[in-house]
Amino acid sequence: MKGREQKISERSETCPDGDRTASEGHEGGQTYMRITENNLTSNNHQSGNGLLEQILSPSNLNAAFKQVRRNKGAGGVDRMDVGSLKDYLVREKEELITSIERGKYCPNPVRRVEIPKENGKSRGLGIPTVVDRVIQQSIAQQLSLLYEPEFSLESFGFRPKRSAHQALSKCRDYITEGYKYAVDIDLERFFDTVNHSKLTEVLSRKVKDGRVVSLIHKYLNAGVMIDGKYEETPEGVPQGGPLSPVH
């Protein structure tokens, strides 16, 4: 194991939801996760079919684990690497999933790194811990199923199975049809200035499982570590995590 192991924290000072969570009063069965050499699976014993149950379902967790492992990437604030992820989940699976089901899980702050841009400036990326990346990926996969049918066919950014090449191909089609102009718009510091309250309101219109909204809200408010110092995140969505593109 390289680096420190992530501690599964519940209701710490850095977890902003206080004493009451959206999941209190919900009763469901335990989801037991099982890790094999090639798959992350689980024996699922639960009642109801809420969104949180779909997020913690065997197939969804399996896909999230595989995706995080494929993406590799640097470790977060706990410095745990992707190679250590499977062994960690084998040991901590019951406590981790129980804390999520009960609404008690507290995400870790993201680790801030600066990536140079072509114009000489830099873009701040927030790197979650590998465990939080699995949870975020699990959430993102289910949110995509909810929102993808509502998105425009003309939209290509940050969407599954869509790319800049497809956007250029679409522009070519428009040129063939006789159009002469293309407009490129870039909203400066958009991710950094997303209003949390507004985002939560928009999510709640479609996401009716309050436990999931509460969990996403915790990720928004998890904070950031910059040069070893913790800073709160009252606004913005950190770029670098699996959940950010869905936002």
Side-chain angles (χ1 to χ4, degrees):
M1 173 78 64
K2 296 181 181 179
R4 295 172 292 163
E5 294 184 357
Q6 173 166 331
K7 181 180 183 296
I8 301 173
S9 57
E10 297 185 358
R11 284 186 53 206
S12 65
E13 292 181 359
T14 58
C15 193
D17 278 22
D19 293 334
R20 187 176 184 276
T21 69
S23 66
E24 288 183 0
H26 172 80
E27 294 184 0
Q30 175 67 50
T31 300
Y32 297 96
M33 199 162 30
R34 175 171 58 86
I35 309 260
T36 63
E37 184 59 34
N38 297 316
N39 293 289
L40 170 62
T41 61
S42 69
N43 299 318
N44 199 21
H45 305 286
Q46 60 189 17
S47 61
N49 57 351
L51 183 58
L52 185 63
E53 281 73 30
Q54 296 175 41
I55 288 170
L56 298 177
S57 70
S59 59
N60 194 59
L61 286 170
N62 181 48
F65 171 72
K66 287 182 175 180
Q67 187 62 49
V68 171
R69 188 168 59 179
R70 279 195 298 268
N71 289 344
K72 299 181 180 180
V77 293
D78 61 356
R79 299 294 178 173
M80 185 194 300
D81 58 26
V82 176
S84 305
L85 180 58
K86 188 183 75 164
D87 291 339
Y88 175 86
L89 291 175
V90 168
R91 291 191 304 272
E92 306 293 338
K93 58 185 180 294
E94 294 184 18
E95 184 180 358
L96 176 63
I97 292 185
T98 297
S99 65
I100 295 173
E101 288 183 327
R102 294 178 177 174
K104 302 296 184 180
Y105 180 74
C106 291
N108 279 266
V110 298
R111 182 167 66 89
R112 173 66 60 84
V113 295
E114 297 293 330
I115 304 298
K117 298 172 64 176
E118 293 182 358
N119 60 6
K121 297 181 180 181
S122 63
R123 173 183 288 108
L125 293 183
I127 303 178
T129 65
V130 291
V131 174
D132 280 323
R133 293 212 287 270
V134 171
I135 299 171
Q136 286 193 29
Q137 180 65 32
S138 299
I139 299 170
Q141 289 166 179
Q142 290 300 314
L143 290 185
S144 293
L145 294 177
L146 281 176
Y147 286 104
E148 272 296 313
E150 298 186 357
F151 290 160
S152 170
L153 295 176
E154 315 302 320
S155 173
F156 297 92
F158 299 104
R159 294 180 62 186
K161 300 180 181 180
R162 288 174 173 260
S163 66
H165 291 289
Q166 291 174 317
L168 290 173
S169 177
K170 194 66 177 180
C171 288
R172 182 184 60 192
D173 293 341
Y174 287 141
I175 292 172
T176 302
E177 293 174 12
Y179 290 92
K180 297 181 179 180
Y181 300 99
V183 179
D184 181 20
I185 300 176
D186 185 10
L187 300 178
E188 185 177 5
R189 298 185 66 246
F190 172 76
F191 279 89
D192 297 332
T193 57
V194 172
N195 183 284
H196 289 179
S197 296
K198 184 63 177 179
L199 177 57
T200 301
E201 176 192 338
V202 172
L203 277 171
S204 298
R205 296 174 191 169
K206 187 74 173 177
V207 179
K208 300 305 181 183
D209 192 329
R211 300 166 298 167
V212 175
V213 175
S214 176
L215 180 58
I216 294 173
H217 188 260
K218 289 177 182 178
Y219 274 112
L220 292 173
N221 289 277
V224 60
M225 294 292 291
I226 304 176
D227 296 327
K229 296 181 179 180
Y230 174 80
E231 292 187 11
E232 294 183 349
T233 49
E235 66 176 2
V237 178
Q239 298 183 65
L243 200 53
S244 300
V246 184
H247 290 145

